[in-house]
Structure formats: structure tokens, C-alpha cells
Amino acid sequence: MGTSQSRQPQAGQERVFSNTENCVEIKRDDLGPDEQEVFRRFADNVRDVSDDQPPEEMLKMLQKEIGQYDQEETWMGQAYVRIGIVGVSGAGKSTFINSFRELRANEKEAADVGTTETTTEPNEYPHPEHDHVILVDFPGALFKLQSGSLQPTTFNTKEYARMFGDKMKECNVFLVFTSGRVHDNAVWIAKVAKEMGKKVLFVRSKFDRDVEDKQDDDPEYFAGGQEEGEERLLQFQREDYVTKLETIGYGRVDIGDVFVICGKLRHIQAGRWGAAALKEAILKQLDIQQKMLLMTTTTDYSPTMVKAKANIYKSHAWKVALGVAAGGVIPYAGTFVNAGTMLTTMLLFKRGFGLNEASVRKLATTTSKDARMLQRFVDDRLSILNGVIQFLQGEIDLQSLRQLMTAQASLHLYVTALTVDAAIDVAVPFVGGLVTAPFSFGLAWSALCLFIDKHEQCALDLHELAFR
């Protein structure tokens, strides 16, 4: 077992855990508001503790504050993600709402897709996998009752804010949808959201139609290749959008806040055109627990989102490792781990990366691929991890797990990863002292990071196979 020297964080740093030089690092930005408050209480409790306080006692104190992370809800807390959707009829927002929720238009609970304005009140569309992820469809026009029917009335931003302002304030971010021309109503609604301090992202949908029209009207535009032509057209539309917004009086908008997409399910899950960048921009408006919630709930196989998901999961793996360090009941690779904690976490990783059976079946339907072929592809690449899951579930013993590792020529890799140097430093946040963690903390943390890496690579490979 290695040794480590106590090191103090530099002035101005508020480090929780560091993974450089045998450390596990979590930055303050990786903590939600509730978690930051937990660490402040922990810091108050240990502020007067002497430097020779046993590290096990320090971690037990922290574990008592944090609690056992053996349930999925503890990853996300009581976080909610509400995404406001704005746009007039025919702008493609209903198609996007359904695709974001992994539904088709004819499925139960899908948003109505049509060319007439059907929204007179904000409609909430929770994600089928987790009802804390909600898309809120706001009316694109104001109506009044006239001769027994609803009729559009002159749009007024103050009246709109009076009617729907409370619901708008609940949203984390707003997506303003257009296709073709930029509609005045949607822009003025965006202005209401902006004045509330909300981040507004502008989305031009139906890019697949734009590409088809351009191919019919100007075939030479794609003479340099289909991909090059699409990228050039996409960039032109983004720049044109910025110009139009300024022309109609909204003001100057950063081109990074404009996205050109196709809202159909296949293109959203593949992250095609501007879809992945749009999801990234949404994530930037969320705290860490909201990010965890959104990334674990929504299926997205784009390389951008797969890598972002891996980074977010790694930034939170210390929670599970902390629970494991508090004690466990079964032997594993020379130490003890909490089987329930590890099992729940690995299953969450698998689902979050879209590699569980239900997600793979949906992917096969979306991409018109053979479901059995895609499932075999996943199983082959995750055979050892599936074996670990079986072991933690009590379906196979340790010897069988070792035989599986040997058969896959991966025994050395896993033994090395799961028996890391135990000299892992833990920086006490808001205090600055460092302690050496017990071996089980380092073991669990390194094992979880390995699981994340393997799931990440499998998801990237599955994207290449399914969408090519």
C-alpha cells in the first residue's frame, strides 16, 4: 500500500475530492445546492478536529451526513427539470416534445402534432421514464372567447406575462421554435422569458426538409459532398436567424444560442445536425443534480452526449464510493463492498447510457435494425460487467466471475483496476485538511470509473453501428 503526503489546497480553491496524483476530485460546481449545504455542515463539525484525527472517523462523519447512496433518487435528489417550449403552430415543437420523450405521434400521451394552434394554456409533458423531467408547451398566441369559440387576439407581452408568467418562472430554460420565417409572437414571448432572467435558445426545426428543398432547387450546392453541403446550409441558416432577430427588434443574439435541427426521433437520438449542441446548451443551465436527472432519464446516443454523460457520472461516483467505505457484507477482490449500492449504481449507468434491454429494443425500432443483433453487440462488449452484476445479485459466485474474466482475457486488467493504491487523499471542503481514505473507498471509486469507461465506449460503438 502506498503512502501520501498531506497537501493543502491553494488559496481560493474549494475542493472536495481530487483525482490527480492518486486523489479523487470533485469540484464545488459538481455539487447541487443541497449537497453544498451538507458539506458546509460537515466542515463546521470537523473544523476543530486535530490533524491526527483517524481518516476512517472523518469519512464516517461525512458518510453520516451524506447517507447511503444505494437508491437511484439519491443521485438526483428532489431535482426537477422544466424546459419551456415556445412557438407558433407548424414550427415543429410538438414533434420535438415527442422525440425528447422518446414517443411517436400516435403513442399514448404524445403531444398533438398539427398545423393549427391547439395550445391555449401551458401544457406539461412529463418524460415517461421520470416525471421530474417536464417539457412545458406554451401557447404561441393569445385567444379570447368570441361567438362561442376561441379566436386569436392581438398579441400583448404584458398580457402574456400576466397570464403565464408564474408558469414561465418555473422553467430552467426556454426553447423558441421556428421553421422558415421567424414569427413575431414567438420572439416576443422569448423577450418575456429573457426579462425574467431565463436563458433563451432559438431553434429552427425541420432541417431535413430544408436539405431536400435545397437539393431540388440547387443540386450544385452539394457538389463538394453531402455532409459539406449540409454543414454550409446549417451555418447559413444560423447566421440568417441572428440577422432576422436583430431586424425585427429582438436585439443581437449570440450565434451559439441558435440551433438548426430536425425534431424527429431518429435525428434527436443520433444527435444529428444541431441536436447534440442543443442538449449541451440545455445542460449548461442546470445544476449537477438536474444534469444527473436529465442525462439519466433521456436516451441520447450522440458521441457528444455519451461523453458528457460519462463525465457527469464520474463526477458523482464518489458518493457511491463513500457509501461503500462505510462497510459492506460480501467479499470482492480482497475487500468488502456494499452489494446493493454497487448493483443499483451499475444498473443506473447501464440505463443512463441506453444499454439496457428496453433502450436497445427502442433503438432497433428507431433505426430499423435487428434488435437481437444490437443486443448481442451490447452483451459481447459488456459481458464482464454483466458478470459483475450477476455476482452482486448472487446469481454466480466469485470463482465463476474470475473464470469469466479469464475467458475474456481481461483478468489482469480488472485485477489491476480493482486493487488500486489505497493512498487516496480526501480534501475536506471549506476546511482544507487532507486525510487518507480507507482502501474500500479507493477500490469502489476506481471500479465505478472503470464501469463508466466501459459503458461509454460501448455506447459510442453502438451509435456507430445503429445509425450508420
Side-chain angles (χ1 to χ4, degrees), residues 384-433:
I384 294 178
L385 300 190
N386 290 335
V388 172
I389 290 174
Q390 288 180 295
F391 170 66
L392 294 177
Q393 289 173 325
E395 297 174 5
I396 64 174
D397 57 20
L398 185 57
Q399 182 59 33
S400 298
L401 177 60
R402 286 173 175 164
Q403 290 173 353
L404 174 62
M405 291 179 175
T406 302
Q408 295 291 326
S410 299
L411 182 60
H412 177 73
L413 168 66
Y414 276 78
V415 168
T416 299
L418 297 180
T419 55
V420 295
D421 188 342
I424 295 184
D425 291 338
V426 180
V428 180
F430 317 116
V431 177

Side-chain angles (χ1 to χ4, degrees), residues 448-465:
L448 288 170
C449 288
L450 179 63
F451 296 151
I452 293 167
D453 287 340
K454 293 298 181 182
H455 281 87
E456 176 187 8
Q457 189 56 56
C458 182
L460 291 171
D461 293 342
L462 183 61
H463 172 273
E464 181 67 21
L465 174 65

Side-chain angles (χ1 to χ4, degrees), residues 238-255:
R238 293 177 73 197
E239 293 171 354
D240 182 60
Y241 204 140
V242 170
T243 300
K244 287 178 177 176
L245 285 172
E246 192 168 19
T247 299
I248 65 175
Y250 180 83
R252 187 69 180 175
V253 172
D254 191 309
I255 196 170

Side-chain angles (χ1 to χ4, degrees), residues 75-91:
W75 283 76
M76 282 78 80
Q78 293 301 310
Y80 277 82
V81 174
R82 289 185 173 88
I83 301 172
I85 306 292
V86 175
V88 297
S89 60

Side-chain angles (χ1 to χ4, degrees), residues 148-164:
S149 63
L150 288 172
Q151 299 294 329
T153 187
T154 302
F155 189 83
N156 181 288
T157 55
K158 290 183 179 180
E159 180 65 11
Y160 195 95
R162 185 190 68 78
M163 293 175 65
F164 309 124

Side-chain angles (χ1 to χ4, degrees), residues 154-205:
T154 302
F155 189 83
N156 181 288
T157 55
K158 290 183 179 180
E159 180 65 11
Y160 195 95
R162 185 190 68 78
M163 293 175 65
F164 309 124
D166 289 344
K167 183 66 68 174
M168 294 178 74
K169 290 175 183 177
E170 294 177 355
C171 295
N172 302 102
V173 61
F174 278 83
L175 311 184
V176 178
F177 275 75
T178 66
S179 62
R181 72 181 185 88
V182 178
H183 298 277
D184 289 352
N185 283 6
V187 172
W188 303 144
I189 297 169
K191 204 155 191 175
V192 172
K194 184 179 178 182
E195 289 171 355
M196 292 180 177
K198 303 295 182 178
K199 181 67 175 179
V200 177
L201 305 175
F202 294 89
V203 184
R204 173 167 172 147
S205 191

